[in-house]
Amino acid sequence: MEPGNDTGISEFLLLGLSEEPELQPLIFGLFLSMYLITVFGNMLIILAVSSDSHLHTPMYFFLANLSFVDICFTSTTIPKMLWNIQTQSKVITYLGCIVQMYFFILFIGLDIFLLTVMAYDRFVAICHPLHYMVLMKPRLCELLVLVSWIMSILHSLLESLMVLQLSFCRKVEIPHFFCELSQMIQLACSDTFPNNMVMYFAAMLLGGAPLVGVLYSYSKIVSSILGISSAQGKYKAFSTCASHFSVVSLFYCTGLGVYLSSAATQSSHSSAVASVMYTVVTPMLNPFIYSLRNKDIKKVLMRFSGMTALKGSTVLG
């Protein structure tokens, strides 16, 4: 392939998860189902939190924000993938690829920051329960979410602007189902050293630092729970953070699994398949984890289903 500057590139080819024609209907049906479940489940969480005054607390405020981000996160990649399968086209425009990459980096960064903020919220609730309402004021909660948005936007903007400086070859095939940053850098024909340095530094700073914060928060939480004398008190304290701990574990374990699998196999296709776990499966499972393990959310959702059933019987009557 002849190298060309970035202005000569008008489109990329997204190779997807498989190039086997007979697998495309199965992949389409599977991802459409997961996408609809993700959107519907997270919308239910947002509706439950916004409609019930008992859930207007810091923990559920952060949860509603996380659900919104998860909807946006999956909507950045899956609809384009489904469209490509349906139209039997692998094309994504150069601008479309940059925009998709920008929003993907933005929302995955927000996921990380919100999970970290939620860990801090649980740390304050369990380790400093008497000062919880004083420390976690609504203004502080809003500020934490705002700072998360600003940091994610700036990081995503930096990464995207640096990719815009790269030169690509005339025909670029991306062995993925979306425009992923590391894949874009690997396919560039120009010097990628600055991009790699920024990417790795950002991964350590914006990925590693929040992880350290989460681990520190939970080490203190576990220490406080073990210090509670009664079994009932331990169970109550643990139940308040069990859902969040499950979500954090799922997110980081799947992300780490993608990194290790791609490093071990050196296969872009294996990395693409593994990335489905944290880009699609994790956002889909989050509402189930919170609704099944959280009695407050479960109670509101059951009330919704009861109201729906009542309205249905009224209409039929």
Side-chain angles (χ1 to χ4, degrees), residues 233-276:
K234 287 182 179 179
Y235 175 77
K236 186 177 180 180
F238 177 76
S239 63
T240 62
C241 61
S243 297
H244 177 258
F245 182 74
S246 301
V247 169
V248 169
S249 301
L250 183 64
F251 181 84
Y252 277 104
C253 287
T254 53
L256 185 62
V258 170
Y259 173 78
L260 292 177
S261 66
S262 60
T265 62
Q266 295 295 317
S267 169
S268 299
H269 177 71
S270 298
S271 176
V273 173
S275 66
V276 171

mmCIF file of all heavy atoms in Angstrom, residues 233-276:
data_model
loop_
_atom_site.group_PDB
_atom_site.id
_atom_site.type_symbol
_atom_site.label_atom_id
_atom_site.label_comp_id
_atom_site.label_asym_id
_atom_site.label_seq_id
_atom_site.Cartn_x
_atom_site.Cartn_y
_atom_site.Cartn_z
ATOM 1 N N GLY A 233 -25.392 -6.541 61.276
ATOM 2 C CA GLY A 233 -24.768 -5.271 60.914
ATOM 3 C C GLY A 233 -23.787 -5.447 59.763
ATOM 4 O O GLY A 233 -23.722 -4.613 58.857
ATOM 5 N N LYS A 234 -23.036 -6.547 59.796
ATOM 6 C CA LYS A 234 -22.090 -6.833 58.702
ATOM 7 C C LYS A 234 -22.829 -7.054 57.386
ATOM 8 O O LYS A 234 -22.417 -6.536 56.340
ATOM 9 C CB LYS A 234 -21.264 -8.075 59.043
ATOM 10 C CG LYS A 234 -20.219 -7.861 60.116
ATOM 11 C CD LYS A 234 -19.417 -9.143 60.360
ATOM 12 C CE LYS A 234 -18.354 -8.914 61.422
ATOM 13 N NZ LYS A 234 -17.565 -10.140 61.693
ATOM 14 N N TYR A 235 -23.933 -7.804 57.455
ATOM 15 C CA TYR A 235 -24.696 -8.083 56.236
ATOM 16 C C TYR A 235 -25.292 -6.804 55.656
ATOM 17 O O TYR A 235 -25.261 -6.578 54.436
ATOM 18 C CB TYR A 235 -25.818 -9.084 56.538
ATOM 19 C CG TYR A 235 -26.725 -9.332 55.372
ATOM 20 C CD1 TYR A 235 -26.338 -10.161 54.315
ATOM 21 C CD2 TYR A 235 -27.982 -8.703 55.294
ATOM 22 C CE1 TYR A 235 -27.167 -10.378 53.223
ATOM 23 C CE2 TYR A 235 -28.815 -8.915 54.206
ATOM 24 C CZ TYR A 235 -28.395 -9.751 53.181
ATOM 25 O OH TYR A 235 -29.217 -9.945 52.103
ATOM 26 N N LYS A 236 -25.827 -5.947 56.531
ATOM 27 C CA LYS A 236 -26.440 -4.701 56.078
ATOM 28 C C LYS A 236 -25.400 -3.790 55.424
ATOM 29 O O LYS A 236 -25.657 -3.185 54.377
ATOM 30 C CB LYS A 236 -27.105 -3.988 57.257
ATOM 31 C CG LYS A 236 -27.882 -2.753 56.855
ATOM 32 C CD LYS A 236 -28.590 -2.135 58.055
ATOM 33 C CE LYS A 236 -29.370 -0.885 57.628
ATOM 34 N NZ LYS A 236 -30.064 -0.258 58.788
ATOM 35 N N ALA A 237 -24.214 -3.701 56.050
ATOM 36 C CA ALA A 237 -23.147 -2.860 55.506
ATOM 37 C C ALA A 237 -22.657 -3.407 54.170
ATOM 38 O O ALA A 237 -22.441 -2.656 53.213
ATOM 39 C CB ALA A 237 -21.993 -2.771 56.503
ATOM 40 N N PHE A 238 -22.502 -4.726 54.100
ATOM 41 C CA PHE A 238 -22.020 -5.346 52.868
ATOM 42 C C PHE A 238 -23.036 -5.193 51.733
ATOM 43 O O PHE A 238 -22.667 -4.954 50.582
ATOM 44 C CB PHE A 238 -21.733 -6.828 53.104
ATOM 45 C CG PHE A 238 -21.306 -7.557 51.858
ATOM 46 C CD1 PHE A 238 -20.026 -7.398 51.346
ATOM 47 C CD2 PHE A 238 -22.193 -8.398 51.186
ATOM 48 C CE1 PHE A 238 -19.633 -8.064 50.183
ATOM 49 C CE2 PHE A 238 -21.816 -9.065 50.031
ATOM 50 C CZ PHE A 238 -20.524 -8.894 49.533
ATOM 51 N N SER A 239 -24.331 -5.312 52.059
ATOM 52 C CA SER A 239 -25.374 -5.253 51.029
ATOM 53 C C SER A 239 -25.442 -3.885 50.363
ATOM 54 O O SER A 239 -25.879 -3.773 49.211
ATOM 55 C CB SER A 239 -26.737 -5.604 51.628
ATOM 56 O OG SER A 239 -27.116 -4.661 52.609
ATOM 57 N N THR A 240 -25.003 -2.824 51.071
ATOM 58 C CA THR A 240 -25.066 -1.483 50.495
ATOM 59 C C THR A 240 -24.014 -1.262 49.407
ATOM 60 O O THR A 240 -24.150 -0.357 48.587
ATOM 61 C CB THR A 240 -24.880 -0.396 51.575
ATOM 62 O OG1 THR A 240 -23.584 -0.535 52.166
ATOM 63 C CG2 THR A 240 -25.947 -0.506 52.650
ATOM 64 N N CYS A 241 -22.957 -2.089 49.415
ATOM 65 C CA CYS A 241 -21.897 -1.888 48.416
ATOM 66 C C CYS A 241 -21.679 -3.116 47.529
ATOM 67 O O CYS A 241 -20.811 -3.097 46.657
ATOM 68 C CB CYS A 241 -20.583 -1.500 49.091
ATOM 69 S SG CYS A 241 -19.944 -2.736 50.226
ATOM 70 N N ALA A 242 -22.458 -4.173 47.747
ATOM 71 C CA ALA A 242 -22.263 -5.410 46.985
ATOM 72 C C ALA A 242 -22.505 -5.208 45.491
ATOM 73 O O ALA A 242 -21.742 -5.716 44.655
ATOM 74 C CB ALA A 242 -23.183 -6.505 47.525
ATOM 75 N N SER A 243 -23.554 -4.455 45.143
ATOM 76 C CA SER A 243 -23.869 -4.234 43.733
ATOM 77 C C SER A 243 -22.754 -3.465 43.038
ATOM 78 O O SER A 243 -22.318 -3.828 41.939
ATOM 79 C CB SER A 243 -25.192 -3.466 43.603
ATOM 80 O OG SER A 243 -26.256 -4.211 44.137
ATOM 81 N N HIS A 244 -22.317 -2.395 43.682
ATOM 82 C CA HIS A 244 -21.248 -1.586 43.081
ATOM 83 C C HIS A 244 -19.966 -2.381 42.948
ATOM 84 O O HIS A 244 -19.270 -2.306 41.930
ATOM 85 C CB HIS A 244 -20.992 -0.327 43.913
ATOM 86 C CG HIS A 244 -19.866 0.506 43.382
ATOM 87 N ND1 HIS A 244 -18.604 0.493 43.947
ATOM 88 C CD2 HIS A 244 -19.791 1.342 42.319
ATOM 89 C CE1 HIS A 244 -17.816 1.303 43.258
ATOM 90 N NE2 HIS A 244 -18.507 1.835 42.273
ATOM 91 N N PHE A 245 -19.640 -3.163 43.971
ATOM 92 C CA PHE A 245 -18.426 -3.988 43.916
ATOM 93 C C PHE A 245 -18.505 -4.985 42.760
ATOM 94 O O PHE A 245 -17.516 -5.228 42.066
ATOM 95 C CB PHE A 245 -18.231 -4.724 45.243
ATOM 96 C CG PHE A 245 -16.981 -5.564 45.280
ATOM 97 C CD1 PHE A 245 -15.730 -4.978 45.394
ATOM 98 C CD2 PHE A 245 -17.056 -6.950 45.173
ATOM 99 C CE1 PHE A 245 -14.580 -5.742 45.409
ATOM 100 C CE2 PHE A 245 -15.910 -7.722 45.189
ATOM 101 C CZ PHE A 245 -14.664 -7.117 45.313
ATOM 102 N N SER A 246 -19.686 -5.558 42.540
ATOM 103 C CA SER A 246 -19.872 -6.506 41.431
ATOM 104 C C SER A 246 -19.660 -5.823 40.087
ATOM 105 O O SER A 246 -18.999 -6.370 39.193
ATOM 106 C CB SER A 246 -21.281 -7.112 41.488
ATOM 107 O OG SER A 246 -21.504 -7.778 42.707
ATOM 108 N N VAL A 247 -20.211 -4.609 39.934
ATOM 109 C CA VAL A 247 -20.076 -3.864 38.678
ATOM 110 C C VAL A 247 -18.621 -3.472 38.432
ATOM 111 O O VAL A 247 -18.107 -3.598 37.319
ATOM 112 C CB VAL A 247 -20.987 -2.612 38.699
ATOM 113 C CG1 VAL A 247 -20.663 -1.689 37.532
ATOM 114 C CG2 VAL A 247 -22.450 -3.025 38.654
ATOM 115 N N VAL A 248 -17.949 -2.979 39.481
ATOM 116 C CA VAL A 248 -16.534 -2.592 39.358
ATOM 117 C C VAL A 248 -15.679 -3.797 38.978
ATOM 118 O O VAL A 248 -14.824 -3.709 38.085
ATOM 119 C CB VAL A 248 -16.019 -1.968 40.672
ATOM 120 C CG1 VAL A 248 -14.500 -1.811 40.646
ATOM 121 C CG2 VAL A 248 -16.657 -0.611 40.902
ATOM 122 N N SER A 249 -15.917 -4.917 39.634
ATOM 123 C CA SER A 249 -15.152 -6.135 39.352
ATOM 124 C C SER A 249 -15.373 -6.590 37.917
ATOM 125 O O SER A 249 -14.422 -6.948 37.208
ATOM 126 C CB SER A 249 -15.566 -7.259 40.317
ATOM 127 O OG SER A 249 -15.346 -6.881 41.648
ATOM 128 N N LEU A 250 -16.626 -6.545 37.461
ATOM 129 C CA LEU A 250 -16.955 -6.963 36.097
ATOM 130 C C LEU A 250 -16.266 -6.054 35.082
ATOM 131 O O LEU A 250 -15.671 -6.535 34.108
ATOM 132 C CB LEU A 250 -18.470 -6.931 35.905
ATOM 133 C CG LEU A 250 -19.012 -7.411 34.548
ATOM 134 C CD1 LEU A 250 -18.697 -8.885 34.344
ATOM 135 C CD2 LEU A 250 -20.517 -7.174 34.469
ATOM 136 N N PHE A 251 -16.315 -4.750 35.313
ATOM 137 C CA PHE A 251 -15.730 -3.787 34.376
ATOM 138 C C PHE A 251 -14.220 -3.952 34.276
ATOM 139 O O PHE A 251 -13.660 -4.079 33.177
ATOM 140 C CB PHE A 251 -16.079 -2.363 34.812
ATOM 141 C CG PHE A 251 -15.534 -1.293 33.898
ATOM 142 C CD1 PHE A 251 -16.219 -0.936 32.756
ATOM 143 C CD2 PHE A 251 -14.350 -0.654 34.187
ATOM 144 C CE1 PHE A 251 -15.729 0.044 31.906
ATOM 145 C CE2 PHE A 251 -13.841 0.330 33.349
ATOM 146 C CZ PHE A 251 -14.537 0.686 32.206
ATOM 147 N N TYR A 252 -13.542 -3.952 35.424
ATOM 148 C CA TYR A 252 -12.084 -4.023 35.400
ATOM 149 C C TYR A 252 -11.571 -5.405 34.999
ATOM 150 O O TYR A 252 -10.550 -5.513 34.313
ATOM 151 C CB TYR A 252 -11.509 -3.613 36.759
ATOM 152 C CG TYR A 252 -11.383 -2.118 36.924
ATOM 153 C CD1 TYR A 252 -12.285 -1.404 37.700
ATOM 154 C CD2 TYR A 252 -10.362 -1.416 36.286
ATOM 155 C CE1 TYR A 252 -12.177 -0.027 37.843
ATOM 156 C CE2 TYR A 252 -10.249 -0.039 36.424
ATOM 157 C CZ TYR A 252 -11.150 0.643 37.198
ATOM 158 O OH TYR A 252 -11.038 2.016 37.327
ATOM 159 N N CYS A 253 -12.263 -6.451 35.405
ATOM 160 C CA CYS A 253 -11.820 -7.805 35.046
ATOM 161 C C CYS A 253 -11.962 -8.050 33.541
ATOM 162 O O CYS A 253 -11.071 -8.648 32.921
ATOM 163 C CB CYS A 253 -12.616 -8.854 35.822
ATOM 164 S SG CYS A 253 -12.161 -8.948 37.564
ATOM 165 N N THR A 254 -13.066 -7.587 32.944
ATOM 166 C CA THR A 254 -13.232 -7.758 31.502
ATOM 167 C C THR A 254 -12.231 -6.896 30.726
ATOM 168 O O THR A 254 -11.661 -7.336 29.728
ATOM 169 C CB THR A 254 -14.663 -7.404 31.055
ATOM 170 O OG1 THR A 254 -15.003 -6.091 31.545
ATOM 171 C CG2 THR A 254 -15.659 -8.411 31.586
ATOM 172 N N GLY A 255 -12.008 -5.660 31.218
ATOM 173 C CA GLY A 255 -11.022 -4.791 30.576
ATOM 174 C C GLY A 255 -9.629 -5.366 30.646
ATOM 175 O O GLY A 255 -8.875 -5.367 29.655
ATOM 176 N N LEU A 256 -9.266 -5.891 31.829
ATOM 177 C CA LEU A 256 -7.952 -6.521 31.991
ATOM 178 C C LEU A 256 -7.855 -7.787 31.147
ATOM 179 O O LEU A 256 -6.807 -8.084 30.571
ATOM 180 C CB LEU A 256 -7.724 -6.861 33.474
ATOM 181 C CG LEU A 256 -6.349 -7.426 33.845
ATOM 182 C CD1 LEU A 256 -5.249 -6.420 33.525
ATOM 183 C CD2 LEU A 256 -6.302 -7.808 35.327
ATOM 184 N N GLY A 257 -8.956 -8.532 31.054
ATOM 185 C CA GLY A 257 -8.969 -9.740 30.231
ATOM 186 C C GLY A 257 -8.728 -9.438 28.766
ATOM 187 O O GLY A 257 -8.005 -10.165 28.077
ATOM 188 N N VAL A 258 -9.316 -8.334 28.270
ATOM 189 C CA VAL A 258 -9.088 -7.911 26.882
ATOM 190 C C VAL A 258 -7.616 -7.587 26.663
ATOM 191 O O VAL A 258 -7.006 -7.992 25.665
ATOM 192 C CB VAL A 258 -9.969 -6.690 26.540
ATOM 193 C CG1 VAL A 258 -9.566 -6.090 25.193
ATOM 194 C CG2 VAL A 258 -11.430 -7.076 26.521
ATOM 195 N N TYR A 259 -7.039 -6.840 27.604
ATOM 196 C CA TYR A 259 -5.634 -6.447 27.480
ATOM 197 C C TYR A 259 -4.719 -7.663 27.471
ATOM 198 O O TYR A 259 -3.818 -7.785 26.641
ATOM 199 C CB TYR A 259 -5.251 -5.515 28.633
ATOM 200 C CG TYR A 259 -3.783 -5.188 28.679
ATOM 201 C CD1 TYR A 259 -3.225 -4.244 27.807
ATOM 202 C CD2 TYR A 259 -2.931 -5.830 29.580
ATOM 203 C CE1 TYR A 259 -1.872 -3.960 27.837
ATOM 204 C CE2 TYR A 259 -1.583 -5.548 29.621
ATOM 205 C CZ TYR A 259 -1.054 -4.607 28.753
ATOM 206 O OH TYR A 259 0.278 -4.331 28.784
ATOM 207 N N LEU A 260 -4.955 -8.603 28.392
ATOM 208 C CA LEU A 260 -4.096 -9.782 28.500
ATOM 209 C C LEU A 260 -4.252 -10.703 27.294
ATOM 210 O O LEU A 260 -3.273 -11.261 26.796
ATOM 211 C CB LEU A 260 -4.413 -10.550 29.793
ATOM 212 C CG LEU A 260 -4.051 -9.840 31.099
ATOM 213 C CD1 LEU A 260 -4.493 -10.671 32.297
ATOM 214 C CD2 LEU A 260 -2.544 -9.574 31.178
ATOM 215 N N SER A 261 -5.500 -10.849 26.816
ATOM 216 C CA SER A 261 -5.726 -11.731 25.667
ATOM 217 C C SER A 261 -5.081 -11.174 24.406
ATOM 218 O O SER A 261 -4.490 -11.917 23.615
ATOM 219 C CB SER A 261 -7.225 -11.945 25.437
ATOM 220 O OG SER A 261 -7.844 -10.729 25.057
ATOM 221 N N SER A 262 -5.180 -9.860 24.214
ATOM 222 C CA SER A 262 -4.566 -9.253 23.029
ATOM 223 C C SER A 262 -3.054 -9.287 23.119
ATOM 224 O O SER A 262 -2.359 -9.465 22.118
ATOM 225 C CB SER A 262 -5.058 -7.814 22.862
ATOM 226 O OG SER A 262 -4.716 -7.037 23.995
ATOM 227 N N ALA A 263 -2.508 -9.135 24.341
ATOM 228 C CA ALA A 263 -1.057 -9.172 24.521
ATOM 229 C C ALA A 263 -0.515 -10.588 24.325
ATOM 230 O O ALA A 263 0.585 -10.786 23.801
ATOM 231 C CB ALA A 263 -0.697 -8.665 25.914
ATOM 232 N N ALA A 264 -1.308 -11.586 24.733
ATOM 233 C CA ALA A 264 -0.850 -12.976 24.647
ATOM 234 C C ALA A 264 -0.917 -13.509 23.220
ATOM 235 O O ALA A 264 -0.008 -14.195 22.747
ATOM 236 C CB ALA A 264 -1.689 -13.852 25.578
ATOM 237 N N THR A 265 -2.004 -13.192 22.521
ATOM 238 C CA THR A 265 -2.200 -13.770 21.187
ATOM 239 C C THR A 265 -1.646 -12.899 20.059
ATOM 240 O O THR A 265 -1.384 -13.381 18.972
ATOM 241 C CB THR A 265 -3.700 -13.997 20.922
ATOM 242 O OG1 THR A 265 -4.369 -12.720 20.954
ATOM 243 C CG2 THR A 265 -4.317 -14.901 21.975
ATOM 244 N N GLN A 266 -1.491 -11.594 20.338
ATOM 245 C CA GLN A 266 -1.074 -10.642 19.305
ATOM 246 C C GLN A 266 -2.024 -10.675 18.112
ATOM 247 O O GLN A 266 -1.646 -10.409 16.986
ATOM 248 C CB GLN A 266 0.370 -10.947 18.836
ATOM 249 C CG GLN A 266 1.431 -10.753 19.904
ATOM 250 C CD GLN A 266 1.557 -9.305 20.354
ATOM 251 O OE1 GLN A 266 1.549 -8.397 19.548
ATOM 252 N NE2 GLN A 266 1.673 -9.104 21.650
ATOM 253 N N SER A 267 -3.275 -11.043 18.360
ATOM 254 C CA SER A 267 -4.267 -11.140 17.295
ATOM 255 C C SER A 267 -5.303 -10.043 17.453
ATOM 256 O O SER A 267 -5.953 -9.935 18.501
ATOM 257 C CB SER A 267 -4.954 -12.512 17.341
ATOM 258 O OG SER A 267 -6.072 -12.540 16.498
ATOM 259 N N SER A 268 -5.465 -9.230 16.406
ATOM 260 C CA SER A 268 -6.443 -8.148 16.441
ATOM 261 C C SER A 268 -7.858 -8.699 16.503
ATOM 262 O O SER A 268 -8.739 -8.131 17.148
ATOM 263 C CB SER A 268 -6.282 -7.259 15.211
ATOM 264 O OG SER A 268 -4.998 -6.670 15.182
ATOM 265 N N HIS A 269 -8.087 -9.847 15.813
ATOM 266 C CA HIS A 269 -9.418 -10.459 15.821
ATOM 267 C C HIS A 269 -9.780 -10.931 17.226
ATOM 268 O O HIS A 269 -10.912 -10.715 17.684
ATOM 269 C CB HIS A 269 -9.460 -11.630 14.849
ATOM 270 C CG HIS A 269 -10.763 -12.366 14.851
ATOM 271 N ND1 HIS A 269 -11.924 -11.824 14.326
ATOM 272 C CD2 HIS A 269 -11.100 -13.594 15.340
ATOM 273 C CE1 HIS A 269 -12.914 -12.693 14.481
ATOM 274 N NE2 HIS A 269 -12.442 -13.764 15.088
ATOM 275 N N SER A 270 -8.837 -11.561 17.927
ATOM 276 C CA SER A 270 -9.085 -12.023 19.296
ATOM 277 C C SER A 270 -9.365 -10.844 20.214
ATOM 278 O O SER A 270 -10.236 -10.908 21.089
ATOM 279 C CB SER A 270 -7.881 -12.810 19.812
ATOM 280 O OG SER A 270 -7.657 -13.957 19.023
ATOM 281 N N SER A 271 -8.653 -9.748 20.007
ATOM 282 C CA SER A 271 -8.871 -8.548 20.811
ATOM 283 C C SER A 271 -10.255 -7.972 20.573
ATOM 284 O O SER A 271 -10.930 -7.531 21.507
ATOM 285 C CB SER A 271 -7.805 -7.505 20.466
ATOM 286 O OG SER A 271 -8.035 -6.306 21.160
ATOM 287 N N ALA A 272 -10.699 -8.002 19.306
ATOM 288 C CA ALA A 272 -12.033 -7.482 18.967
ATOM 289 C C ALA A 272 -13.127 -8.313 19.631
ATOM 290 O O ALA A 272 -14.091 -7.768 20.185
ATOM 291 C CB ALA A 272 -12.216 -7.470 17.453
ATOM 292 N N VAL A 273 -12.980 -9.623 19.583
ATOM 293 C CA VAL A 273 -13.975 -10.516 20.199
ATOM 294 C C VAL A 273 -13.983 -10.317 21.714
ATOM 295 O O VAL A 273 -15.053 -10.236 22.335
ATOM 296 C CB VAL A 273 -13.669 -11.990 19.851
ATOM 297 C CG1 VAL A 273 -14.593 -12.924 20.624
ATOM 298 C CG2 VAL A 273 -13.817 -12.227 18.348
ATOM 299 N N ALA A 274 -12.793 -10.223 22.315
ATOM 300 C CA ALA A 274 -12.705 -10.052 23.767
ATOM 301 C C ALA A 274 -13.273 -8.707 24.214
ATOM 302 O O ALA A 274 -13.863 -8.599 25.296
ATOM 303 C CB ALA A 274 -11.247 -10.187 24.221
ATOM 304 N N SER A 275 -13.128 -7.673 23.382
ATOM 305 C CA SER A 275 -13.597 -6.341 23.759
ATOM 306 C C SER A 275 -15.115 -6.260 23.838
ATOM 307 O O SER A 275 -15.660 -5.314 24.405
ATOM 308 C CB SER A 275 -13.075 -5.291 22.778
ATOM 309 O OG SER A 275 -13.632 -5.483 21.497
ATOM 310 N N VAL A 276 -15.797 -7.250 23.261
ATOM 311 C CA VAL A 276 -17.262 -7.299 23.367
ATOM 312 C C VAL A 276 -17.673 -7.344 24.838
ATOM 313 O O VAL A 276 -18.719 -6.794 25.223
ATOM 314 C CB VAL A 276 -17.825 -8.527 22.613
ATOM 315 C CG1 VAL A 276 -19.314 -8.713 22.897
ATOM 316 C CG2 VAL A 276 -17.590 -8.386 21.116
#
